[in-house]
Structures are given as C-alpha cells and as structure tokens.
Amino acid sequence: MRLSTVILPVYRWSEGGEEVWRRAERLGFHTAYTYDHLSWRSFRDEPWYGAVPTLTAAAAATERLRLGTLVTSANFRHPVPLAKELVSLDDISGGRVTLGIGAGGSGFDATALLRAEEEPWTRGERTARFHEFVPLLDQLLTHPVVTAEGRFYSAREVRNIPGCVQRPRLPFTVAATGPRGFNLAARHGQGWVTTGDFAVNADGTAEQSHAALEAQMKQLTAACAVRDRDPAELDKVLLTGFTPDQPLRSVDAFVDFAGRHFALGFDEIVLHWPIPDSVFAADQSVFERIATEALAQLRS
C-alpha cells in the first residue's frame, strides 16, 4: 500500500513552491506527481508552470521522494524532445522519475497549438496518436539510436545517450479507461492509473464508482491475459478527487475509502495537495494527518 500526492504546478518557486515539495517528502508520501498541462480548467487565468522544469527543481530540493507526471499526453508534446527531457530528469533525480502518460483530453492543451481553421482532434484521433506516441517513446528511452517513421511521429537517427538511470528505462504508468488503453498498459506499462469512470463521476454514487473501478480492474486483467502477462506486475494507481467519494473529509473517511479501494487491487492512492478556493480545497491539517496516520491504521 502506497500513498502519494499530486502537487499542481501553481506555486512560484521563490514564494513557497520549494517548501511544498520538501514538505511532501517529510510527510512520507511515496511519490509527488504534477499535472503536465499548458493550463487546466479553473486555473487557466492563474499562475501555472511547466511540469518538467518543476520536477527538475523538485528533484534538486528532495532526496528520497519519487517524482512524476499525471499525466503527460501527445496534445502538445512530441516523443523525441520529451525523451531527451526525461533522460535528463531521470539523471538529475538519481532515478526517481515515473512517467504518467495518457491520450489527453479536449481542454486547452488540445487547441493551444492549432491554427484558427483547424479543428481539435477527436477522441479517436487522440487515441490513435497515443498508440503511436507510447511505443516510439519506449524505443527512444531504451535504445541509444532510433530511426522510426509513423503516421504521426517520426525520429531520424535520434540519440539518447547514456539513456535512463533506471533500466531499461524509467517506468510508464499508463492512463486507461477503455479496451485500447488497457491493451497499451498491458504492453508498455509498469503501472496503470485511473480517475474512475467519467459518466459515474459526473452523476453517480460512491457505490457505483466502486463498481465501475472494479470493472476497470477486470478489463486490465483481461488485457494482461491476452499478452500472457501477470497483472500483478503492474502497479494500480487511483488518482482521487474525481469520484463521488469525499476521502479528505476526515482521517476515518480516508481510511474507509482506501481500505475499500486497496481491496479492489489498487496499490497506490494519490491525493491532491490542497489548494484553497479551488476544486481541490481541503483542510490542510486533515490532509497531513492522513499522510502520517492513515496507512498505519489500515495496516493495523
């Protein structure tokens, strides 16, 4: 059982940002992730910094804390420069990086690079790019020289020397809620991450959300069986804050929530670091008590 946090890249480093990441390490979180977006929802007109520079600074400010993205997508990234950044970040952190990776959504990231006459990619187009993006990134991070030509992405004699500190490469945690995503996770992932079922999250109950997550877990197991892979080899990560549950209401509420979801097979639960006056507002003292007390209660 692991407890992690996601720290949105909203903090100016010289005005407390560094201390937030150090605090996450002192609280004992397994991993501190950040979003990899150009901007996000209600934060669009607020301070928002780049994921890779933020994680690089966090790597220099911490010693043991694992670091990662939840999640990186092809909406505004290309595998070739991303691979170079990841090799560098893995080196600077001493091999503490996990890449969360997903197909991307329809928000600001999907339109920022488009010309005025262009339409955003459909969900099917995003999925198609995702299925080319991940295998090429895998190649780039596991081979010193890569040449590849695809429908969407190409690489010509691209060097990534000396490669990642973690071997054969830093781990991928693949976001998936549908069959094609689960197949990609089973093929390339060292982990799988979900925020739950979109439809249930919007209008459903906590019980319906639990059932939907159980169904997703079964889909992942089936995808692993097709590839003759043991599903136990993959970490199962639940990013909270989107399901109908309210796990940050109290320590007891979180212990109940975590116990039910660990029983489903999740290995890691990720909590959003509280941000006042936002969708992720929560009592900081309760959040920190959860970080320091909840796992011990679960184990006992």
Side-chain angles (χ1 to χ4, degrees), residues 35 41 70-71 175-177 192-198 201 209 213 216 237-244 266 272:
Y35 282 13
R41 299 187 187 180
L70 280 184
V71 291
T177 57
W192 161 63
V193 61
T194 183
T195 57
D197 182 282
F198 300 121
N201 290 352
S209 172
L213 287 167
Q216 288 183 359
V237 182
L238 176 60
L239 175 58
T240 66
F242 302 96
T243 67
F266 285 98
H272 285 85

Side-chain angles (χ1 to χ4, degrees), residues 75-90:
N75 269 345
F76 62 95
R77 292 202 177 274
H78 188 287
V80 169
L82 177 61
K84 185 66 69 175
E85 292 182 348
L86 292 172
V87 167
S88 304
L89 178 57
D90 200 46

Side-chain angles (χ1 to χ4, degrees), residues 54-72:
T54 296
L55 292 173
T56 303
T62 59
E63 297 178 354
R64 303 174 305 280
L65 186 69
R66 285 197 65 82
L67 307 165
T69 58
L70 280 184
V71 291
T72 292

Side-chain angles (χ1 to χ4, degrees), residues 143-177:
H143 295 80
V145 183
V146 172
T147 293
E149 186 170 342
R151 178 184 173 194
F152 304 109
Y153 306 105
S154 297
R156 181 172 295 179
E157 295 187 4
V158 173
R159 269 74 172 166
N160 275 309
I161 300 171
C164 295
V165 172
Q166 301 174 87
R167 294 293 182 174
R169 60 157 167 76
L170 55 81
F172 290 176
T173 297
V174 179
T177 57

Side-chain angles (χ1 to χ4, degrees), residues 7-21 46-50 53-54 57 275:
I7 301 170
L8 267 60
V10 298
Y11 302 100
R12 186 181 292 276
W13 204 252
S14 61
E15 297 176 2
E18 180 177 11
E19 177 55 29
V20 172
W21 290 83
E46 303 293 333
W48 188 277
Y49 297 98
T54 296
I275 301 176

Side-chain angles (χ1 to χ4, degrees), residues 136-263:
L136 178 54
L137 186 61
D138 193 334
Q139 277 189 274
L140 289 162
L141 292 174
T142 52
H143 295 80
V145 183
V146 172
T147 293
E149 186 170 342
R151 178 184 173 194
F152 304 109
Y153 306 105
S154 297
R156 181 172 295 179
E157 295 187 4
V158 173
R159 269 74 172 166
N160 275 309
I161 300 171
C164 295
V165 172
Q166 301 174 87
R167 294 293 182 174
R169 60 157 167 76
L170 55 81
F172 290 176
T173 297
V174 179
T177 57
R180 295 186 68 187
F182 286 117
N183 289 335
L184 201 62
R187 180 181 176 190
H188 292 284
Q190 285 66 55
W192 161 63
V193 61
T194 183
T195 57
D197 182 282
F198 300 121
V200 173
N201 290 352
D203 300 308
T205 64
E207 291 73 19
Q208 290 170 324
S209 172
H210 189 272
L213 287 167
E214 184 175 22
Q216 288 183 359
M217 192 73 72
K218 290 177 180 177
Q219 286 183 276
L220 178 66
T221 299
C224 287
V226 170
R227 302 201 67 83
D228 196 25
R229 186 173 182 190
D230 183 354
E233 295 176 4
L234 277 76
D235 293 331
K236 290 87 173 174
V237 182
L238 176 60
L239 175 58
T240 66
F242 302 96
T243 67
D245 311 90
Q246 296 183 0
L248 293 183
R249 188 175 65 252
S250 67
V251 175
D252 287 344
F254 176 78
V255 169
D256 176 70
F257 171 87
R260 288 185 287 110
H261 289 83
F262 282 136

